[in-house]
Amino acid sequence: MNILAINGSPRGRRSNTDKILQPFLQGAAQGGAAVDTLYVKDLEIHPCQGCYSCHMKTPGVCVFKDDMPGAIDKMKAAEVLVFATPIYVFSVPSILKAFMDRMIVMGDLKLEVVDGMTVHPPRWPEVKWKWVLIANAGFPEDAVFDPLREMFRHFGRAIGGGAFVTHVASICKGMGELLAVKPLARELEWFFEACRKAGSELATRGGISAETLETLERPLMPLPSKEFAEMSNFYIDKATRLIRERG
């Protein structure tokens, strides 16, 4: 199995997003999968201009000569795409949105109706993907991820008629900043181990078990939202004072 991860965090390898993604990929590699990661922050990706040259003039080829064609080639060769992102204003960071917009070349400009929904048919019907969504957010409530899950559900259908995308799972964690707190690493090991197990199951079984998904859905810490907010505000105030004192 060939798995390509796309980390859309502006923090790249230093991100809380990567702290979830890498154990998942480690498990997949242990299960026999070939894994690779694209860090969008390290790529030169021009925003889509909506000129439709990639459909009408040079089908499947964008006018911009940047890093996106190489990324497209890697995606076409993959069996699984893992989209990993933080939540920025209930959506994805602008660099990942630019990347996703440029994936318009994956679909044909013509329209068809699938299950009562107007979509673009796939440009390369032989490409059959499984998608996994990994995300983290500062807010603790799971509902913060609802717009993101819905966006990816529509995204998978719109760029190829839904014919070549199977959504396997979403691993979405609130209280994401806790992942960067080193003293909590041992306390959160249950979560990282579940991420590794999910990756291994995907590589060996082609999916993730209900038991593993149930574990992944547990909150990082059993804190009421108000208590979490009070704790966060304490550390925010402390960090703000230190930064201002340093000038």
Side-chain angles (χ1 to χ4, degrees):
M1 177 179 285
N2 187 353
I3 299 177
L4 177 65
I6 300 159
N7 184 328
S9 173
R11 298 181 184 179
R13 292 170 177 81
R14 299 183 298 107
S15 64
N16 295 326
T17 300
D18 216 51
K19 288 178 174 62
I20 304 173
L21 174 62
Q22 290 310 315
F24 180 86
L25 294 180
Q26 290 166 8
Q30 290 168 2
V35 302
D36 191 12
T37 305
L38 289 177
Y39 290 92
V40 180
K41 71 176 288 290
D42 297 333
L43 303 178
E44 180 187 2
I45 305 292
H46 290 276
C48 177
Q49 302 297 298
C51 66
Y52 295 117
S53 290
C54 63
H55 292 294
M56 297 178 176
K57 189 175 181 179
T58 53
V61 179
C62 181
V63 295
F64 290 119
K65 308 304 178 186
D66 55 12
D67 292 329
M68 196 64 195
I72 291 289
D73 287 342
K74 285 194 171 188
M75 285 190 282
K76 288 171 62 179
E79 299 166 72
V80 178
L81 295 185
V82 181
F83 291 90
T85 180
I87 292 288
Y88 276 26
V89 194
F90 301 97
S91 184
V92 298
S94 58
I95 59 171
L96 181 55
K97 184 58 167 65
F99 184 98
M100 293 167 62
D101 288 347
R102 290 284 299 280
M103 286 178 65
I104 190 174
V105 301
M106 304 298 292
D108 193 287
L109 186 60
K110 294 179 180 179
L111 303 178
E112 62 181 32
V113 178
V114 177
D115 296 332
M117 190 173 186
T118 304
V119 297
H120 295 293
R123 181 176 301 282
W124 298 290
E126 69 277 9
V127 176
K128 302 292 184 182
W129 282 327
K130 292 182 177 180
W131 279 12
V132 175
L133 174 62
I134 288 176
N136 84 101
F139 293 160
E141 295 85 10
D142 183 73
V144 73
F145 298 103
D146 288 347
L148 183 73
R149 294 188 185 104
E150 191 70 1
M151 180 177 72
F152 271 89
R153 186 177 73 85
H154 285 287
F155 179 48
R157 290 176 60 95
I159 66 169
F164 67 158
V165 173
T166 300
H167 292 267
V168 175
S170 62
I171 303 173
C172 299
K173 301 311 297 177
M175 309 184 196
E177 289 298 329
L178 296 179
L179 297 167
V181 181
K182 291 184 179 180
L184 291 178
R186 179 173 294 182
E187 195 169 339
L188 297 179
E189 178 56 30
W190 66 267
F191 172 67
F192 299 124
E193 178 56 33
C195 290
R196 286 187 284 269
K197 186 176 181 182
S200 177
E201 289 178 351
L202 179 62
T204 57
R205 306 179 187 178
I208 303 173
S209 70
E211 179 184 5
T212 299
L213 289 174
E214 184 177 353
T215 300
L216 289 168
E217 288 170 1
R218 288 167 47 194
L220 291 177
M221 294 187 72
L223 289 174
S225 295
K226 186 175 181 180
E227 186 176 336
F228 174 77
E230 291 172 351
M231 180 182 71
S232 298
N233 289 341
F234 172 82
Y235 286 103
I236 289 170
D237 289 342
K238 182 178 179 180
T240 300
R241 285 196 304 272
L242 289 173
I243 290 172
R244 290 177 179 173
E245 288 171 3
R246 293 170 184 167

